[in-house]
Amino acid sequence: MERTFLAIKPDGVQRGLVGNIISRLEAKGFQLVGLKMLQVSRELAEQHYAEHKEKPFFGGLVDFITSSPVVAMVWEGKEVISTARKMIGSTNPLSADNGTIRGDFGIEIGRNIIHGSDAPDTATREIALWFSDAELASWKSTT
Ligand code: CMP
Protein backbone atom coordinates (compact mmCIF):
# COMPACT_ATOMS: atom_id res chain seq x y z
CA MET A 1 0.00 0.00 0.00
CA GLU A 2 1.24 3.49 -0.84
CA ARG A 3 2.80 5.64 1.89
CA THR A 4 3.63 9.33 2.13
CA PHE A 5 5.56 11.59 4.48
CA LEU A 6 3.87 14.65 5.97
CA ALA A 7 5.32 17.14 8.46
CA ILE A 8 3.34 19.76 10.35
CA LYS A 9 5.77 22.68 10.49
CA PRO A 10 6.45 24.90 13.52
CA ASP A 11 3.67 27.34 12.52
CA GLY A 12 1.10 24.53 12.30
CA VAL A 13 2.10 23.17 15.71
CA GLN A 14 2.15 26.63 17.33
CA ARG A 15 -1.26 27.52 15.93
CA GLY A 16 -2.84 24.36 17.33
CA LEU A 17 -3.60 22.77 13.96
CA VAL A 18 -2.20 19.28 14.67
CA GLY A 19 -5.55 17.75 15.66
CA ASN A 20 -7.43 19.35 12.76
CA ILE A 21 -4.89 18.11 10.21
CA ILE A 22 -4.83 14.56 11.59
CA SER A 23 -8.66 14.54 11.68
CA ARG A 24 -8.88 15.52 8.01
CA LEU A 25 -6.60 12.68 6.93
CA GLU A 26 -8.32 10.13 9.19
CA ALA A 27 -11.77 11.22 8.01
CA LYS A 28 -10.66 10.83 4.39
CA GLY A 29 -9.82 7.20 5.13
CA PHE A 30 -6.04 7.20 5.36
CA GLN A 31 -4.15 5.31 8.07
CA LEU A 32 -1.58 6.86 10.36
CA VAL A 33 1.40 4.48 10.49
CA GLY A 34 4.10 6.76 11.94
CA LEU A 35 3.93 9.79 14.25
CA LYS A 36 6.44 11.77 16.29
CA MET A 37 7.12 15.29 17.50
CA LEU A 38 10.73 16.36 17.21
CA GLN A 39 13.05 19.31 17.27
CA VAL A 40 14.60 19.10 13.80
CA SER A 41 18.41 19.32 13.55
CA ARG A 42 20.01 21.55 10.90
CA GLU A 43 21.50 18.41 9.36
CA LEU A 44 18.09 16.77 8.93
CA ALA A 45 16.54 20.00 7.62
CA GLU A 46 19.32 20.50 5.08
CA GLN A 47 19.01 16.89 3.89
CA HIS A 48 15.23 17.12 3.69
CA TYR A 49 15.33 20.35 1.68
CA ALA A 50 18.48 19.48 -0.33
CA GLU A 51 16.73 20.16 -3.66
CA HIS A 52 16.25 23.82 -2.59
CA LYS A 53 19.89 24.33 -1.57
CA GLU A 54 20.57 26.98 -4.21
CA LYS A 55 17.30 28.88 -3.67
CA PRO A 56 17.43 32.29 -2.01
CA PHE A 57 14.97 31.19 0.67
CA PHE A 58 16.96 28.05 1.66
CA GLY A 59 18.66 29.56 4.74
CA GLY A 60 15.41 31.02 6.06
CA LEU A 61 13.59 27.76 5.40
CA VAL A 62 16.15 25.76 7.40
CA ASP A 63 16.12 28.38 10.19
CA PHE A 64 12.35 28.18 10.36
CA ILE A 65 11.96 24.40 10.30
CA THR A 66 14.58 24.04 13.08
CA SER A 67 13.16 26.87 15.20
CA SER A 68 10.55 24.91 17.15
CA PRO A 69 9.08 21.37 17.15
CA VAL A 70 7.60 19.69 14.09
CA VAL A 71 5.10 16.80 13.96
CA ALA A 72 6.36 14.21 11.48
CA MET A 73 3.97 11.59 10.14
CA VAL A 74 3.72 8.71 7.72
CA TRP A 75 0.29 8.03 6.23
CA GLU A 76 -0.80 5.00 4.25
CA GLY A 77 -3.61 4.39 1.75
CA LYS A 78 -4.74 4.27 -1.84
CA GLU A 79 -3.10 7.09 -3.84
CA VAL A 80 -2.21 8.79 -0.57
CA ILE A 81 0.71 10.77 -2.06
CA SER A 82 -1.29 12.73 -4.64
CA THR A 83 -4.46 12.87 -2.54
CA ALA A 84 -2.66 14.27 0.52
CA ARG A 85 -1.05 16.90 -1.74
CA LYS A 86 -4.52 17.89 -2.96
CA MET A 87 -5.75 18.10 0.64
CA ILE A 88 -2.72 20.26 1.54
CA GLY A 89 -3.17 22.68 -1.39
CA SER A 90 -0.76 24.88 -3.37
CA THR A 91 2.63 25.84 -1.91
CA ASN A 92 1.56 29.48 -1.61
CA PRO A 93 -1.41 29.53 0.79
CA LEU A 94 -2.78 32.63 -0.95
CA SER A 95 -3.22 30.56 -4.14
CA ALA A 96 -4.45 27.44 -2.36
CA ASP A 97 -8.11 26.54 -2.79
CA ASN A 98 -10.54 26.96 0.07
CA GLY A 99 -11.08 23.58 1.70
CA THR A 100 -7.40 22.71 1.55
CA ILE A 101 -5.21 22.92 4.66
CA ARG A 102 -3.09 25.79 3.34
CA GLY A 103 -6.10 27.52 1.75
CA ASP A 104 -8.03 27.43 5.01
CA PHE A 105 -5.24 28.37 7.41
CA GLY A 106 -2.42 30.31 5.74
CA ILE A 107 -1.36 33.49 3.96
CA GLU A 108 2.47 33.23 3.89
CA ILE A 109 4.53 30.97 1.56
CA GLY A 110 7.24 30.67 4.20
CA ARG A 111 4.64 29.72 6.84
CA ASN A 112 2.59 27.21 4.87
CA ILE A 113 1.79 24.91 7.82
CA ILE A 114 2.58 21.49 6.40
CA HIS A 115 4.92 19.65 4.05
CA GLY A 116 3.88 16.66 1.95
CA SER A 117 5.95 14.42 -0.33
CA ASP A 118 5.30 15.27 -3.97
CA ALA A 119 5.97 11.92 -5.69
CA PRO A 120 6.63 8.23 -4.94
CA ASP A 121 10.43 8.52 -5.07
CA THR A 122 10.37 11.58 -2.81
CA ALA A 123 8.04 9.81 -0.36
CA THR A 124 10.39 6.81 -0.15
CA ARG A 125 13.40 9.08 0.42
CA GLU A 126 11.67 11.28 3.02
CA ILE A 127 10.15 8.39 4.99
CA ALA A 128 13.60 6.76 5.26
CA LEU A 129 15.18 10.08 6.24
CA TRP A 130 12.74 10.85 9.06
CA PHE A 131 11.70 7.39 10.37
CA SER A 132 13.38 4.09 11.18
CA ASP A 133 11.54 0.88 10.24
CA ALA A 134 10.88 0.26 13.96
CA GLU A 135 9.01 3.57 14.20
CA LEU A 136 6.50 2.54 11.53
CA ALA A 137 3.51 0.29 12.19
CA SER A 138 1.40 -1.67 9.72
CA TRP A 139 -2.06 -2.32 11.06
CA LYS A 140 -5.54 -3.32 9.94
CA SER A 141 -8.81 -2.28 11.55
CA THR A 142 -10.55 -5.10 13.43
CA THR A 143 -13.55 -3.03 14.57
P1 CMP B 1 7.37 22.74 1.28
O1 CMP B 1 6.23 22.03 0.67
O2 CMP B 1 7.80 22.34 2.65
O3 CMP B 1 8.63 22.65 0.32
C1 CMP B 1 9.59 23.65 0.20
C2 CMP B 1 9.26 24.84 1.04
O4 CMP B 1 9.99 26.01 0.71
C3 CMP B 1 7.83 25.23 0.79
O5 CMP B 1 6.97 24.30 1.36
C4 CMP B 1 7.77 26.63 1.37
O6 CMP B 1 7.54 26.62 2.76
C5 CMP B 1 9.18 27.10 1.12
N1 CMP B 1 9.20 28.07 0.03
C6 CMP B 1 8.96 27.84 -1.26
N2 CMP B 1 9.06 28.99 -1.96
C7 CMP B 1 9.38 29.94 -1.06
C8 CMP B 1 9.62 31.33 -1.15
N3 CMP B 1 9.56 31.97 -2.33
N4 CMP B 1 9.91 31.99 -0.02
C9 CMP B 1 10.00 31.34 1.15
N5 CMP B 1 9.77 30.02 1.31
C10 CMP B 1 9.46 29.34 0.21
Side-chain angles (χ1 to χ4, degrees), residues 5-132:
F5 171 75
L6 305 182
I8 305 174
K9 301 181 185 184
D11 53 329
V13 174
Q14 289 173 16
R15 292 179 54 200
L17 297 174
V18 173
N20 182 295
I21 291 168
I22 289 176
S23 290
R24 287 176 184 230
L25 290 150
E26 285 185 328
K28 181 70 177 168
F30 294 127
Q31 281 190 318
L32 185 58
V33 297
L35 174 69
K36 61 184 173 185
M37 174 177 264
L38 72 161
Q39 181 72 47
V40 179
S41 67
R42 290 195 77 83
E43 185 188 7
L44 175 57
E46 286 172 5
Q47 283 182 277
H48 175 75
Y49 283 124
E51 68 175 296
H52 298 298
K53 205 169 174 177
E54 307 305 326
K55 306 265 175 64
F57 57 81
F58 181 71
L61 181 59
V62 171
D63 287 346
F64 176 60
I65 213 79
T66 58
S67 65
S68 157
V70 160
V71 171
M73 302 175 286
V74 178
W75 288 86
E76 184 175 281
K78 200 183 289 180
E79 297 187 30
V80 69
I81 299 169
S82 59
T83 307
R85 290 277 294 189
K86 277 188 219 147
M87 293 172 72
I88 288 170
S90 302
T91 302
N92 185 345
L94 286 178
S95 318
D97 290 339
N98 290 338
T100 65
I101 294 166
R102 288 170 175 161
D104 288 351
F105 299 126
I107 53 172
E108 299 283 346
I109 194 166
R111 300 286 184 275
N112 63 0
I113 303 154
I114 182 168
H115 166 84
S117 305
D118 61 3
D121 56 338
T122 327
T124 301
R125 184 182 84 82
E126 293 176 349
I127 290 168
L129 183 62
W130 288 74
F131 284 88
S132 67

